[in-house]
């Protein structure tokens, strides 16, 4: 059965950019809900319970119709949030001098241009979804994309470096309708060490 990973920081660790109440509800209610719903959907599919979430999400087409949507939505929710918590940290970290910084600058012209494009992806995703910095598994190129609902880039051949939850549940208590303010503030809590680590892992895997 799938389980919620422990959160590596306290609910108030990302204040004032992400408030403690939002973190607590997001983690204990929303994320836990995805885990519970995924387990419920897989209850009568013992064969699927033994597969990793990554494996399930990259082989959606092979799943029985009865569980496919649950894996996409609930499994995707579990997968995305598990990544999301690790991509943030208290105080944030600066982007180091490593390969990721060089690759971002090369791909997007400058770090500021990357941020602008990423913010646009986050702000223009209609309804609920995510903004992502990914690597295309075929070309090895960095790309910015967004996905609706809990869809994940791995289901369409992309590997995740960084992701931002833009569901209203991620920001509404503190920012209400001001998604753009939340997106801009989020840079203060990005864990670039983790993003760099993700990028290196992705490059090794393709
Ligand atoms: Mn969320």
């Amino acid at each position: 059965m799938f389980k919620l990973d422990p959160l590596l920081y306290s609910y108030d660790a990302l204040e004032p950019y992400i408030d403690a109440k939002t973190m607590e509800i997001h983690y204990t209610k929303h994320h836990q809900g995805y885990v519970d719903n995924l387990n419920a959907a897989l209850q009568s599919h013992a064969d699927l319970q033994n597969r990793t979430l990554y494996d399930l999400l990259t082989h959606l087409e092979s799943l029985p119709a009865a569980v496919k949507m649950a894996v996409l939505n609930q499994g995707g929710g579990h997968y995305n949030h598990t990544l999301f918590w690790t991509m943030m940290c208290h105080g944030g970290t600066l982007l180091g001098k490593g390969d990721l910084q060089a690759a971002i600058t090369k791909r997007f012209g400058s770090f500021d241009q990357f941020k602008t494009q990423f913010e646009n992806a986050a702000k223009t995703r209609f309804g609920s979804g995510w903004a992502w910095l990914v690597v295309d598994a075929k070309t090895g190129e960095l790309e910015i994309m967004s996905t609706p609902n809990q869809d994940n880039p791995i289901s369409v051949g992309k590997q995740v470096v960084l992701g931002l939850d833009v569901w209203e549940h991620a920001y509404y208590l503190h920012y209400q309708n001001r998604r753009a303010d939340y997106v801009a503030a989020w840079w203060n809590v990005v864990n670039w060490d983790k993003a760099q680590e993700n990028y290196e892992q992705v490059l090794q895997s393709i």
Side-chain angles (χ1 to χ4, degrees), residues 31 34 38 53 57 60 68-83 130 132 149-152 154-155:
H31 189 172
Y34 296 122
L38 175 64
L53 202 42
L57 288 168
L60 286 171
K68 191 171 160 182
M69 283 311 288
V71 169
L72 176 66
N73 291 329
Q74 312 299 337
H78 180 29
Y79 189 86
N80 292 346
H81 287 84
T82 300
L83 288 175
W130 292 74
W132 305 98
N149 306 313
Q150 295 297 353
D151 292 15
N152 186 284
I154 62 174
S155 301

Side-chain angles (χ1 to χ4, degrees), residues 191-202:
N191 185 343
W192 283 108
D193 290 339
K194 183 64 184 172
Q196 172 71 39
E197 192 184 310
N198 291 342
Y199 184 62
E200 284 166 9
Q201 276 178 9
V202 167

Side-chain angles (χ1 to χ4, degrees), residues 21-84:
K21 195 73 188 165
T22 295
M23 275 301 302
E24 182 180 358
I25 295 171
H26 203 171
Y27 175 75
T28 65
K29 306 293 184 196
H30 292 277
H31 189 172
Q32 184 69 58
Y34 296 122
V35 174
D36 294 345
N37 291 334
L38 175 64
N39 285 331
L42 297 183
Q43 207 157 26
S44 55
H45 296 268
D47 53 324
L48 300 180
Q49 290 169 18
N50 294 323
R51 288 168 62 180
T52 65
L53 202 42
Y54 183 91
D55 185 30
L56 294 174
L57 288 168
T58 51
H59 297 91
L60 286 171
E61 71 293 340
S62 71
L63 302 179
V67 296
K68 191 171 160 182
M69 283 311 288
V71 169
L72 176 66
N73 291 329
Q74 312 299 337
H78 180 29
Y79 189 86
N80 292 346
H81 287 84
T82 300
L83 288 175
F84 186 50

